[in-house]
């Protein structure tokens, strides 16, 4: 704060960035700690990348803090309209969890909590201190149950009546 006040001649303020986006996702609710939410999300991304045709960064996640001090993690497909990854994850749930458990349990570096051989990446550098492969395995074992279909949610955005897309340049 002192450096910012010296450099910019004013106290730093809080800034929030938001985006209005409609995405497909899976919500995992009621995790006890933020670290649990991060470890579960990263473990699911690892398992999915080992099981279905995708890169770990094809899925993104958002950690949501609740008023009761629990955390939810929303794992989502950032491709507009969805790419089908979430459905493939659900269809291959046991295999995906098992592959992630095997991968995390057998870290080549035999690290204590996490390293670049098991969980760390350049893209998750902000949560490196929270990553723990042993905790991730424990969480996967807790969530290793057959997902049950409960109900279909109606689309939030209707595609009916949309006009045909026009190109952005005269060549199109």
């Amino acid at each position: 704060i002192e450096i910012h006040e010296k450099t910019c001649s004013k106290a730093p303020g809080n800034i929030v960035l938001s985006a209005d986006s409609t995405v497909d996702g899976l919500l995992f609710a009621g995790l006890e700690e933020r670290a649990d939410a991060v470890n579960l999300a990263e473990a699911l991304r690892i398992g999915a990348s080992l099981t279905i045709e995708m890169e770990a960064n094809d899925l993104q996640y958002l950690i949501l803090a609740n008023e009761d001090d629990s955390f939810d993690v929303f794992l989502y497909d950032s491709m507009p309209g969805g790419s089908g990854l979430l459905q493939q994850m659900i269809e291959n749930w046991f295999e995906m969890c098992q592959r992630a458990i095997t991968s995390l349990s057998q870290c080549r570096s035999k690290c204590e909590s996490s390293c670049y051989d098991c969980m760390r990446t350049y893209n998750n550098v902000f949560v490196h201190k929270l990553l723990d492969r042993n905790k991730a395995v424990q969480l996967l074992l807790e969530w290793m149950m057959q997902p049950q279909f409960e109900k279909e949610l109606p689309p939030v955005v209707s595609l009916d009546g949309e006009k045909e897309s026009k190109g952005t340049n005269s060549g199109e």
Side-chain angles (χ1 to χ4, degrees):
I1 292 173
E2 290 173 16
I3 292 171
H4 190 274
E5 286 177 342
K6 250 192 235 180
T7 308
C8 301
S9 302
K10 66 178 182 177
N14 294 326
I15 297 173
V16 175
L17 301 175
S18 67
D20 187 9
S21 180
T22 303
V23 296
D24 291 335
L26 299 173
L27 180 67
F28 299 87
L31 295 149
E32 292 180 12
E33 300 176 14
R34 183 172 185 263
D36 291 349
V38 168
N39 282 298
L40 179 60
E42 290 290 346
L44 289 170
R45 289 187 347 166
I46 289 167
S49 68
L50 293 170
T51 308
I52 59 179
E53 199 170 320
M54 64 162 271
E55 297 293 324
N57 288 329
D58 289 347
L59 293 174
Q60 301 298 320
Y61 63 88
L62 180 64
I63 306 299
L64 307 166
N66 298 315
E67 289 181 10
D68 66 356
D69 294 330
S70 69
F71 293 85
D72 299 343
V73 60
F74 182 66
L75 186 68
Y76 65 93
D77 182 349
S78 58
M79 177 75 66
S83 62
L85 294 175
L86 298 173
Q87 185 62 38
Q88 290 179 60
M89 285 176 65
I90 291 169
E91 290 168 0
N92 298 287
W93 191 258
F94 284 110
E95 180 184 0
M96 180 190 67
C97 289
Q98 192 56 54
R99 285 187 178 199
I101 289 167
T102 300
S103 174
L104 294 168
S105 298
Q106 300 174 352
C107 174
R108 287 186 305 197
S109 298
K110 299 186 182 347
C111 65
E112 194 170 314
S113 58
S114 69
C115 67
Y116 281 96
D117 283 331
C118 60
M119 291 188 82
R120 294 182 181 188
T121 67
Y122 173 79
N123 293 321
N124 69 12
V125 70
F126 298 109
V127 295
H128 280 183
K129 66 182 179 190
L130 300 176
L131 296 175
D132 183 334
R133 65 187 180 93
N134 300 304
K135 184 64 175 173
V137 167
Q138 179 186 347
L139 290 162
L140 284 173
L141 289 170
E142 291 173 17
W143 286 92
M144 202 162 154
M145 61 190 94
Q146 184 60 44
Q148 297 292 319
F149 177 81
E150 289 188 20
K151 65 180 176 178
E152 188 167 332
L153 300 174
V156 176
V157 177
S158 174
L159 299 177
D160 296 338
E162 278 196 11
K163 297 178 182 174
E164 186 176 323
S165 176
K166 295 183 179 177
T168 56
N169 63 47
S170 57
E172 291 178 334

